[in-house]
C-alpha cells in the first residue's frame, strides 16, 4: 500500500502554427499516501490541465513538453499511452469530473457500466462476481435501492446520484489516488455537502489519497490538508490549508481571500428604510407543460406556486433558492418575459400587463447570468449599448452616441470598446456591457439573475462592487436572484428563501441569516462552506 | 413502448392521408383526366363523352372519396395506359425494385460505414482526406451518368457485366452499385462526424480515466452512440432508393416500379402515377417508423 | 504580388492566442485564406463561370448551328478529330464544345434559381416555426414530414410533364421540392438563439417581434443559410440534369447537360465521349460548388480553428 507520487517541473504547452506556447510551467507536487491535497485557482490557471497531464487525458493540441512524473520511481512521462491506461488508469489513479449529467454513457445501464469498468482490469472474472462487485460499490457510495439502480439508465438519476455512480466507477478497481476535478460545482449546495462528506469518508475507508481541484476556497478548505494555489499556469503558494487560509504569504492569495472575507462581513450601508411600495407581486402561479408525447397524458411542472411579496423604492431584495426552485421564473414574470397563469403584478399600482412595452423597458431592466450569451455576437458593443435608445425612437443619433459613451464610462470600460465585438471581450467585461445596456434607459428597477455566478472570484468581486456603487449613485431598486448566500448578503437588504415554487422564509437578510426559522433555510446555510476573516483584522 | 409506437403510427396514417389527397388533387387539376383518357387528338365531343362516362364532371372531393373507398377495398383502379388493373401492375413490378433497393443499401452500408469509421479514428490523416475526397466527388456525380459510364467501362470496353436487363442477380450488381453510391457521402459523413463527436463526449473521458483505450473504448463505449443517427439516415436513404430508382431502372432497363412510373408519367396515366406516389411515400413513412422504433430500442432516453 | 499585400493589409497577421483581438469578420476572412479546399473550389468555380459566360463570345460557332455533313465527329485528341471542333460534334453536326459551354449558363440559372426558391420557403417556415414554437412548430413539422415522404424526383417529373416543361417551371418545381434542409437547419438554429439571453434582453428593451427576428435571429443564422444555399445549388443542378435526362426537363434543342447525355445515350457503343464530356462538365461544376459549400461550413463554424 505504500507508494509515492512526485511531479517535478512539469511543463505543458499548446501547439500552434509557429511552435509551442507554455501554459503550465514549473509545476511541482508531492503526494504521500493518505494525504488530501487541494488545488485552487481561477479559470485558466492550469489546475485541471496539470491533472489531465498526470492522467494522460490532455486534449489533442496540448502536450507535456517537460518535467517528469514519478510514481514509485517509474517515470510516467516515458510510458506509452496504452501501457499507462492499462496499468494505471482506474487501477492506481482515478479521476472524476465536473459534469455528472454528461459523464455517464447514456445508452448503457448503471450496472453494465460498473461491470465493464471492473472487467477492464480484471479479465476473465465471471459475470456474477463482477455484478456482486458493482453492487457493493453502489452500496459504498450510499445509493439506495441498489437492485433498481443497477438496471437504471443514467437519465433516470438525479445529478447527485449520478456523481455517486461516477465515484463508484472511479473506485471500483481500488485506486491509490483519486483526482476530483470540481466534482460538486454543477450541484446544488445541499447535494454538494453530501458528496463532499462522501468523498472524505471514502478516502478513509479505501485508504486513498485525494487531489481535489476547485475554484472555491470554501469547498477546498473542507476536503484538504494541504493547498496549492495556482495562477496563469504557475504555482503561487503552497502549504497547509489552515495556515494559508489564516495568513497567506502571497498577495494573490490574500486578494482571493479578501474577496471572500468582504462578503462574510456583509454590507453595513444597506440598512436604511423608506417604505414607498414600488412592485407588488400578488399570488402568482406558473405551470410549465413538459414536452409531451402523442397520446400520453400531458405532464405539468409547477414552477411557481402562489408567491406574493412586495418591493419598495430603493429596496434591494434577494430571491434565494436551489436549481428548480422557480426563482428564475419569478424574475422572468416580473420582467414581462413570461406571463403568470394566475395572480398579478403591480408596478406603481398599475398592473404590469397594462403598461406598454417602451414604458416597461424604462421601468425594469434585466441582467443575466451567462456573460457569453447575454450579448449578440453579431452586434458591436456600441450597438448593443445604444440599441435600447434606437428602439425607443426618441433620440437623435448624436444623443445616442453620447449616452452610450457615458454608459461605457459608468461601467468603467474604455471608449475604444465602442467598435469591438463581444468575442473580443472577457467574461467580466461582457457583464459590464450588459449592465451598461440595462442602465442606458435609466430604469428604476434592475433584476439581476445570478449576475456573478459564471465569473471568477476576483471578477465577481469587481462586478459586485460596481453594482453596489451604481445602486448608491443612481438610487436604483434591485432584485437579485441567486443560489449563493454570500452574494446575497453583500447586495441585499431583504431576502426571500424559495423552495419548490413557494416562499419558505422571508425577512431582513441579516436576521434571516443569523437566525433562520425554517428547516430548509437552516439546511441551506449549513451547506455553505464559508471562509471567515481572521479575528485579528488586517484587511483594512 | 407500445404507446410510443402507436403514437407514431397515427402520425404516419395522417401524413399518408394528407399526401394521397394532395397528389389526387394535383394530378386531377393539373391536367384534364378526360383528355388523358381520350387521347391527344380526341375531338371535343369525344372528350365530353369520356367525361360523362368516367364521371370526371363531378366535384373533385366526391371523386377523391370514391377513389379512397375503392383503394381501401383493394381496388386500385385501372390504368388508362396499360389497360390493366394498377394492383396487378404493382405486384408484377415490385420485386425488381425491392431487390434493387435492398442490394444498393447493402452496398452503401459496406462502403460508407467502414470508411466513416476509418476516417474518424484517424482524423486529418491521409485516409481521412481520401474519404472526404470520395464523399465530395460521389456527391457531385450525377447518378444516370455514373450508370452510363459504368456500362461503358464494365459492359462495353471490358464485357464483364450485362449491359441491361433484370433476369438474374448478376444483372443487379452494376445498378445497385450505382444506386448505392449516391448514398455513400451522407452516410459516411454522418458516421465520421458522429464518431468524432462521441469521442469528444464527457462519458468517453470517464471511460478513458477508468482504463478503456483503443478498440475496446470504441466498441464498448462509443460505437452504439455513434450509430444512432446513422440508423435513421439509412432508413431515409432506403426510402429514397425506392423513389429514386426511376433513373437507375431506366438506365439499366430494369422493369421495376421506377420505370413503370416514368412510363406512366409520359403516358399521362393518372391512376398509376397516383398509386405509385402514394406507395413510395407510404414505404418511406413505414421505414422511418421502423427506424424510430430501432432507435428507441438502442437509445433508452427515447423510450 | 499586389494581391498578397492587399490581403495582408486586409487581414492583420496575428497568432492564434490573439484571436480575441480580431472582429468576427476578420476571423472568417483569415480562415478562408487558410482553407485550401475552399480556395480550390472557388478557383474552379470562377474558372467554370468565366468559361461558361465568356466562352461563347470567343467561339464563332453557335450551339444550335447544324452541319449535317459533319455529324458525330470525335474530339481533337481522337483519330479523325479536327481543330475546327475541339470536342467534336453531336448527332446533328452541332459543335459539342459550344453546346457544353452554353449548358453552363442553363445549369447555373436553374441551380441558383431553384435554390433561391427553396431558401425563401425553407427559411421563412424555419424562422416562424423556431421563433413561435408550440402548435405552429408542430404544424410546420407536419408539413415537413409530408414533404420528406414524397418521392421528390417522381413528383418533379410528373409536375414538369403536366404543367409543360420550360426553364421557369423547372426552377419553381425543383425549388418547391428542395426546401427541407433550409427548414430543418433554420428552425433548430432559431430555437437555439431564441433561448439565449440576448433575445430576452431585446424583449426587455421593448423590441418588437419583427425587430428581434431581423436584428437578433437572422444575423445569427445567415452563415448557415449561405452554406446550405451553396450546397443546394449543387443539388438543384443535379436534379435539373436528371429531369432533362429523363426527358421531362429542359427540352431540345436547348443544350442542357442532362439532355446532351440523354442524346448521347443512343451512341453509347461507338461515341462514348458524347456521354462522358457533358458528365465531366457537370461533375466539375458541382464539385466546385460542393467544395465551396464545405469550405464555407468549416470557415463559418465558430468552433473551427484559425490556421
Amino acid at each position: 500500500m505504500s507508494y509515492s507520487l512526485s511531479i517535478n517541473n512539469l511543463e505543458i504547452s499548446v501547439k500552434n502554427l509557429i511552435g509551442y506556447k507554455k501554459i503550465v510551467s514549473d509545476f511541482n507536487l508531492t503526494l504521500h499516501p493518505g494525504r488530501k491535497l487541494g488545488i485552487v485557482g481561477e479559470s485558466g490557471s492550469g489546475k485541471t490541465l496539470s491533472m489531465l497531464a498526470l492522467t494522460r487525458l490532455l486534449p489533442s493540441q496540448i502536450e507535456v513538453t517537460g518535467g517528469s512524473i514519478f510514481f514509485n520511481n517509474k517515470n510516467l512521462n516515458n510510458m506509452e499511452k496504452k501501457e499507462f491506461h492499462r496499468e494505471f488508469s482506474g487501477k492506481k489513479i482515478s479521476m472524476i469530473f465536473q459534469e455528472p449529467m454528461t459523464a455517464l454513457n447514456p445508452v448503457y445501464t448503471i450496472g453494465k457500466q460498473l461491470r465493464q469498468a471492473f472487467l477492464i482490469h480484471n479479465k476473465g472474472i465471471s459475470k456474477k462476481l463482477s455484478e456482486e462487485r458493482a453492487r457493493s460499490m453502489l452500496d459504498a457510495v450510499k445509493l439506495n435501492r441498489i437492485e433498481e439502480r443497477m438496471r437504471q439508465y443514467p437519465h433516470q438519476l438525479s445529478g447527485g446520484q449520478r456523481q455517486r455512480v461516477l465515484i463508484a466507477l472511479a473506485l471500483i478497481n481500488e485506486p491509490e489516488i483519486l483526482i476530483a476535478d470540481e466534482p460538486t460545482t454543477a450541484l446544488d449546495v445541499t447535494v454538494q455537502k453530501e458528496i463532499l462528506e462522501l468523498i472524505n469518508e471514502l478516502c478513509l475507508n479505501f485508504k486513498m489519497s485525494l487531489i481535489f481541484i476547485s475554484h472555491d476556497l470554501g469547498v477546498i478548505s473542507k476536503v484538504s490538508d494541504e493547498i496549492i494555489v495556482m495562477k496563469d499556469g504557475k504555482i503561487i503558494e503552497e502549504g497547509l490549508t489552515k495556515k494559508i487560509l489564516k495568513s497567506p504569504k502571497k498577495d494573490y492569495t490574500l486578494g482571493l481571500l479578501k474577496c471572500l472575507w468582504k462578503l462574510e462581513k456583509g454590507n453595513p450601508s444597506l440598512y436604511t428604510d423608506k417604505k414607498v411600495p414600488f412592485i407588488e407581486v400578488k399570488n402568482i402561479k406558473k405551470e410549465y407543460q413538459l414536452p409531451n408525447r402523442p397520446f400520453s397524458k400531458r405532464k405539468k411542472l409547477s414552477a411557481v406556486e402562489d408567491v406574493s411579496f412586495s418591493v419598495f423604492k430603493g429596496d434591494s431584495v434577494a430571491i434565494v433558492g436551489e436549481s428548480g426552485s422557480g426563482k428564475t421564473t419569478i424574475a422572468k414574470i416580473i420582467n414581462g418575459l413570461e406571463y403568470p397563469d394566475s395572480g398579478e403584478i403591480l408596478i406603481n399600482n398599475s398592473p404590469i400587463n397594462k403598461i406598454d412595452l417602451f414604458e416597461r423597458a424604462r421601468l425594469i431592466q434585466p441582467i443575466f447570468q451567462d456573460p457569453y450569451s447575454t450579448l449578440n455576437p453579431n452586434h458591436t458593443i456600441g450597438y448593443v449599448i445604444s440599441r435600447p435608445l434606437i428602439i425607443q425612437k426618441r433620440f437623435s443619433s448624436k444623443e445616442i452616441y453620447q449616452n452610450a459613451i457615458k454608459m461605457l464610462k459608468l461601467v468603467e470600460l474604455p471608449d475604444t470598446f465602442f467598435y469591438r465585438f463581444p468575442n473580443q471581450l472577457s467574461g467580466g467585461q461582457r457583464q459590464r456591457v450588459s449592465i451598461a445596456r440595462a442602465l442606458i434607459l435609466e430604469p428604476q428597477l434592475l433584476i439581476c439573475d445570478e449576475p456573478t455566478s459564471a465569473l471568477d472570484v476576483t471578477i465577481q468581486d469587481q462586478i459586485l462592487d460596481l453594482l453596489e456603487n451604481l445602486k448608491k449613485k443612481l438610487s436604483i431598486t434591485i432584485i437579485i436572484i441567486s443560489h449563493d448566500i454570500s452574494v446575497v448578503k453583500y447586495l441585499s437588504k431583504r431576502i426571500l428563501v424559495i423552495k419548490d415554487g413557494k416562499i419558505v422564509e422571508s425577512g431582513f437578510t441579516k436576521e434571516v441569516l443569523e437566525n433562520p426559522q425554517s428547516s430548509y433555510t437552516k439546511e441551506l446555510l449549513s451547506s455553505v462552506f464559508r471562509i471567515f476573516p481572521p479575528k485579528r483584522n488586517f484587511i483594512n | 413502448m407500445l404507446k410510443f409506437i402507436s403514437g407514431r403510427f397515427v402520425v404516419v396514417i395522417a401524413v399518408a392521408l394528407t399526401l394521397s389527397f394532395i397528389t389526387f388533387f394535383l394530378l386531377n387539376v393539373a391536367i384534364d383526366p378526360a383528355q388523358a383518357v381520350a387521347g391527344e387528338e380526341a375531338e371535343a365531343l369525344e372528350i365530353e363523352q369520356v367525361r360523362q362516362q368516367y364521371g370526371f364532371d363531378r366535384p373533385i372531393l366526391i371523386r377523391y372519396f370514391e377513389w379512397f373507398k375503392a383503394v381501401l377495398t383493394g381496388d386500385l383502379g385501372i390504368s388508362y395506359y396499360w389497360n390493366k388493373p394498377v394492383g396487378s401492375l404493382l405486384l408484377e413490378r415490385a420485386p425488381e425494385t425491392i431487390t434493387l433497393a435492398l442490394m444498393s443499401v447493402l452496398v452503401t452500408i459496406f462502403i460508407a460505414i467502414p470508411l466513416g469509421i476509418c476516417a474518424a479514428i484517424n482524423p486529418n490523416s491521409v485516409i481521412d482526406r481520401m474519404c472526404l475526397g470520395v464523399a465530395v466527388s460521389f456527391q457531385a456525380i450525377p447518378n444516370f451518368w455514373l450508370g452510363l459510364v459504368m456500362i461503358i467501362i464494365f459492359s462495353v470496353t471490358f464485357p464483364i457485366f450485362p449491359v441491361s436487363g433484370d433476369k438474374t442477380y448478376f444483372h443487379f450488381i452494376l445498378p445497385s452499385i450505382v444506386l448505392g453510391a449516391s448514398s455513400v457521402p451522407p452516410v459516411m459523413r454522418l458516421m465520421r462526424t458522429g464518431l468524432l463527436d462521441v469521442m469528444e463526449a464527457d462519458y468517453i473521458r470517464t471511460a478513458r480515466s477508468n482504463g478503456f483505450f483503443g478498440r475496446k473504448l470504441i466498441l464498448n463505449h462509443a460505437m452504439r452512440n455513434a450509430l444512432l443517427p446513422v440508423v435513421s439516415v439509412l432508413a431515409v436513404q432506403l426510402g429514397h432508393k425506392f423513389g429514386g430508382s426511376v433513373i437507375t431502372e431506366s438506365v439499366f432497363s430494369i422493369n421495376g416500379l421506377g420505370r413503370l412510373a416514368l412510363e406512366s408519367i409520359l403516358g399521362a396515366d393518372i391512376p398509376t402515377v397516383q398509386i405509385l406516389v402514394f406507395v413510395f411515400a407510404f414505404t418511406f413513412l413505414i421505414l422511418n417508423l421502423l427506424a424510430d422504433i430501432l432507435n428507441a430500442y438502442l437509445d433508452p432516453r427515447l423510450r | 504580388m499586389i494581391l498578397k499585400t492587399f490581403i495582408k493589409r486586409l487581414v492583420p497577421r496575428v497568432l492564434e492566442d490573439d484571436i480575441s483581438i480580431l472582429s468576427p469578420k476578420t476571423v472568417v476572412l483569415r480562415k478562408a485564406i487558410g482553407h485550401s479546399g475552399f480556395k480550390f473550389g472557388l478557383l474552379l468555380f470562377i474558372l467554370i463561370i468565366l468559361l461558361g459566360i465568356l466562352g461563347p463570345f470567343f467561339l464563332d460557332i453557335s450551339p444550335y448551328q447544324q452541319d449535317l455533313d459533319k455529324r458525330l465527329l470525335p474530339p481533337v485528341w481522337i483519330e479523325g478529330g479536327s481543330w475546327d471542333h475541339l470536342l467534336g460534334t453531336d448527332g446533328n453536326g452541332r459543335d459539342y464544345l459550344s453546346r457544353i459551354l452554353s449548358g453552363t449558363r442553363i445549369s447555373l440559372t436553374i441551380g441558383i434559381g431553384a435554390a433561391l426558391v427553396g431558401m425563401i420557403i425553407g427559411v421563412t417556415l424555419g424562422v416562424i416555426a423556431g421563433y413561435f414554437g408550440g402548435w405552429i412548430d408542430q404544424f410546420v413539422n407536419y408539413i415537413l414530414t409530408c414533404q420528406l415522404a414524397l418521392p421528390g424526383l417522381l413528383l418533379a417529373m410528373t409536375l414538369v410533364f403536366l404543367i409543360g416543361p420550360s426553364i421557369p417551371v423547372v426552377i419553381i418545381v425543383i425549388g418547391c421540392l428542395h426546401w427541407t434542409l433550409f427548414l430543418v437547419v433554420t428552425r433548430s438554429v432559431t430555437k437555439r438563439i431564441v433561448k439565449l439571453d440576448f433575445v430576452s434582453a431585446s424583449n426587455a428593451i421593448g423590441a418588437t417581434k419583427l425587430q428581434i427576428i431581423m436584428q437578433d435571429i437572422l444575423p445569427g443564422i445567415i452563415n448557415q443559410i449561405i452554406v446550405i444555399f451553396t450546397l443546394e445549388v449543387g443539388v438543384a443542378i443535379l436534379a435539373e440534369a436528371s429531369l432533362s435526362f429523363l426527358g421531362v426537363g429542359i427540352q431540345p434543342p436547348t443544350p442542357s447537360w442532362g439532355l446532351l447525355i440523354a442524346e448521347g445515350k443512343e451512341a453509347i457503343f461507338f461515341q462514348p465521349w458524347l456521354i462522358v464530356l457533358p458528365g465531366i462538365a457537370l461533375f466539375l461544376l458541382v464539385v466546385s460548388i460542393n467544395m465551396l459549400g464545405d469550405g464555407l461550413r468549416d470557415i463559418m463554424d465558430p468552433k473551427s480553428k484559425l490556421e
Side-chain angles (χ1 to χ4, degrees), chain A residues 345-359:
Chain A
I345 294 156
L346 304 176
I347 297 184
N348 292 335
N349 285 325
S350 59
I352 188 162
N353 46 5
K354 297 262 164 61
I355 304 175
D356 82 6
L357 283 182
F358 287 178
E359 181 63 29

Side-chain angles (χ1 to χ4, degrees), chain C residues 13-260:
Chain C
R13 252 195 120 58
V14 286
L15 301 176
E16 184 171 358
D17 39 299
D18 295 334
I19 186 172
S20 57
I21 297 172
L22 302 175
S23 77
K25 265 180 204 153
T26 332
V27 172
V28 163
L29 256 174
R30 277 284 314 278
K31 282 186 191 164
I33 290 166
H35 196 286
S36 50
F38 174 76
K39 281 189 293 191
F40 181 78
L42 188 67
L43 208 71
L44 189 59
F45 184 66
I46 292 175
L47 201 75
I48 293 175
I49 289 203
L50 286 180
L51 272 176
I53 292 174
L54 298 181
F57 290 109
F58 293 100
L59 283 175
D60 45 4
I61 316 170
S62 140
Y64 300 105
Q65 186 193 328
Q66 297 188 1
D67 188 349
L68 294 178
D69 295 339
K70 290 185 179 171
R71 281 186 302 174
L72 296 172
L73 281 182
V76 66
W77 59 88
I78 294 177
E79 223 185 304
S82 81
W83 286 97
D84 293 342
H85 301 284
L86 273 181
L87 299 181
T89 56
D90 71 357
N92 288 321
R94 291 172 293 199
D95 182 54
Y96 220 44
L97 176 64
S98 169
R99 283 181 76 72
I100 289 180
L101 284 185
S102 40
T104 318
R105 246 179 304 173
I106 297 182
S107 279
L108 275 176
T109 314
I110 293 182
I112 292 172
L116 271 176
V117 172
M119 182 179 85
I120 291 167
I121 301 175
V123 172
T124 314
L125 284 177
V127 169
I128 290 173
Y131 183 73
F132 292 99
W135 69 267
I136 296 177
D137 184 29
Q138 287 185 354
F139 180 68
V140 169
N141 201 28
Y142 186 74
I143 301 178
L144 175 70
T145 317
C146 290
Q147 173 66 63
L148 284 175
L150 280 173
L153 183 65
L154 200 61
L155 210 66
M157 282 162 58
T158 318
L159 290 174
V160 173
F161 178 76
L162 295 182
I163 303 171
S166 68
I167 292 184
V169 170
V170 172
I171 289 178
I172 289 171
V173 166
I174 295 180
C176 287
L177 295 169
H178 285 94
W179 47 265
T180 49
L181 197 58
F182 285 107
L183 171 91
V184 172
V185 174
T186 324
R187 183 176 61 172
S188 75
V189 181
T190 307
K191 273 186 180 167
R192 208 183 62 219
I193 294 177
V194 164
K195 283 195 200 114
L196 293 179
D197 288 340
F198 66 76
V199 175
S200 300
S202 299
N203 264 317
I205 59 175
T208 60
K209 288 189 173 76
L210 192 67
Q211 276 171 325
I212 289 176
I213 288 176
M214 300 307 283
Q215 295 167 3
D216 282 325
I217 292 173
L218 278 184
I221 57 179
I222 197 93
N223 285 356
Q224 273 94 339
I225 295 177
I226 292 173
V227 172
I228 300 168
F229 179 80
T230 318
L231 295 173
E232 285 291 320
V233 170
V235 173
I237 287 176
L238 287 181
E240 181 272 326
S242 303
L243 285 180
S244 301
F245 172 77
L246 292 171
V248 281
I250 304 302
Q251 296 298 306
T254 314
S256 151
W257 289 339
L259 201 57
L260 294 189

